[in-house]
């Protein structure tokens, strides 16, 4: 049997994914990276974005709200601030978050408020994009 990868995605609240897969593609802070069986050990920070993995012909998409990835011995461990499988994303909530963030961006009075609104907008946009993939 061909070598596989064990993928685990956990957040402070829950285990989002625990699966044996063929390939993982994750949103690294320095750019997207792919992991196939036999990958060298590796640790990196993740940005807000899309993680996808494939099992045979089936591809799944997960929204990752930043965190860390560790690759070791054909295991990929993702410690995410928050993460949702595409099918678990509440689109109405994400649209409301996007509108709130856009309003806050327009009304922000200092750099910190602006940066927080920008980060919230980024999270909402990532969720909306990934929800469309299901
Ligand atoms: P909101 O303003 O809607 O709470 P947020 O970006 O501030 O959005 P986070 O702090 O990233 O939310 O996440 C808090 C919790 O809510 C996490 O468990 C996350 O998985 C979940 N969550 C946030 N938005 C959604 C969504 N649109 N659909 C499903 N779960 C979500």
């Amino acid at each position: 049997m061909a070598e596989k990868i064990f993928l685990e995605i956990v957040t402070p609240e829950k285990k989002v994914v625990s699966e044996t897969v063929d390939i993982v593609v994750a949103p690294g802070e320095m750019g997207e990276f792919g992991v196939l069986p036999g990958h060298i050990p590796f640790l990196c920070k993740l940005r807000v974005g899309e993680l996808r993995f494939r099992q045979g012909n089936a591809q799944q998409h997960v929204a990752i709200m930043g965190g860390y990835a560790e690759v070791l011995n054909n295991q990929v461990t993702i410690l995410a601030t928050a993460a949702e499988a595409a099918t678990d994303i509440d689109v109405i909530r994400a649209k409301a978050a996007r509108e709130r963030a856009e309003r806050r961006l327009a009304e922000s009075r200092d750099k910190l408020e602006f940066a927080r609104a920008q980060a919230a907008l980024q999270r909402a946009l990532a969720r909306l994009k990934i929800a469309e993939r299901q």
Side-chain angles (χ1 to χ4, degrees), residues 42-117:
F42 175 69
L43 183 66
C44 81
K45 234 176 144 179
L46 300 176
R47 61 177 165 75
V48 172
E50 178 187 61
L51 179 146
R52 54 188 190 276
F53 60 91
R54 188 170 54 74
Q55 292 157 307
N57 293 325
Q59 176 144 279
Q60 292 191 51
H61 305 265
V62 181
I64 298 285
M65 299 300 125
Y68 292 89
E70 182 195 60
V71 181
L72 189 64
N73 299 331
N74 284 343
Q75 169 148 356
V76 178
T77 309
I78 307 287
L79 304 176
T81 311
E84 303 97 38
T87 45
D88 291 335
I89 294 172
D90 177 341
V91 172
I92 292 172
R93 176 174 169 177
K95 282 185 177 165
R98 178 182 65 191
E99 279 160 29
R100 230 173 16 251
E102 282 170 346
R103 258 198 322 274
R104 280 165 54 202
L105 269 181
E107 292 164 2
S108 67
R109 290 165 192 278
D110 59 51
K111 276 188 184 168
L112 184 63
E113 256 183 66
F114 189 85
R116 283 188 177 149

